[in-house]
């Protein structure tokens, strides 16, 4: 039976925290860029760009995140777009 010391557990937790922080920063930057793009579409003068942005917001606010992930992972390969699980 393998026994782990306190320092082994702490080292692994710190390594995991590093990846969590890096992935969170990437998500914040990506979300900010997409949010700015949607913002500029929402305040545009043309009606069709405002409708596209409103539809995008309504789609993502009106559906649960787990359903969106399932549709992307299982639905997009049916359309020919393969997504790896780690992506």
């Amino acid at each position: 039976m393998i026994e782990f010391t306190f320092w082994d557990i702490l080292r692994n937790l710190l390594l995991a925290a590093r990846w969590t922080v890096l992935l969170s920063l990437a998500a914040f930057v990506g979300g900010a860029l997409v949010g700015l793009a949607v913002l500029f579409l929402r305040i545009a003068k043309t009606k069709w760009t405002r409708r596209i942005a409103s539809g995008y917001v309504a789609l993502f606010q009106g559906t649960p995140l787990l359903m969106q992930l399932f549709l992307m992972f299982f639905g997009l390969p049916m359309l020919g777009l393969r997504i790896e699980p780690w992506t």
Side-chain angles (χ1 to χ4, degrees):
M1 181 153 184
I2 298 174
E3 290 188 26
F4 294 102
T5 65
F6 172 75
W7 298 111
D8 291 333
I9 295 170
L10 183 64
R11 181 178 47 91
N12 287 334
L13 285 174
L14 288 174
L15 287 172
R18 179 186 62 179
W19 281 108
T20 301
V21 169
L22 288 174
L23 288 172
S24 297
L25 287 174
F28 288 148
V29 170
L33 292 175
V34 171
L36 279 174
V38 172
L39 167 74
F40 289 129
L41 287 174
R42 291 282 301 255
I43 62 173
K45 294 186 190 270
T46 57
K47 190 175 185 175
W48 64 273
T49 57
R50 288 194 310 265
R51 284 193 179 188
I52 288 173
S54 295
Y56 176 82
V57 170
L59 174 73
F60 283 102
Q61 281 185 348
T63 57
L65 178 62
L66 186 59
M67 187 181 84
Q68 295 169 12
L69 292 172
F70 275 13
L71 283 175
M72 281 187 232
F73 188 73
F74 295 115
L76 289 179
M78 291 180 185
L79 300 174
L81 298 170
R82 177 147 167 71
I83 299 176
E84 295 298 321
W86 284 104
T87 305

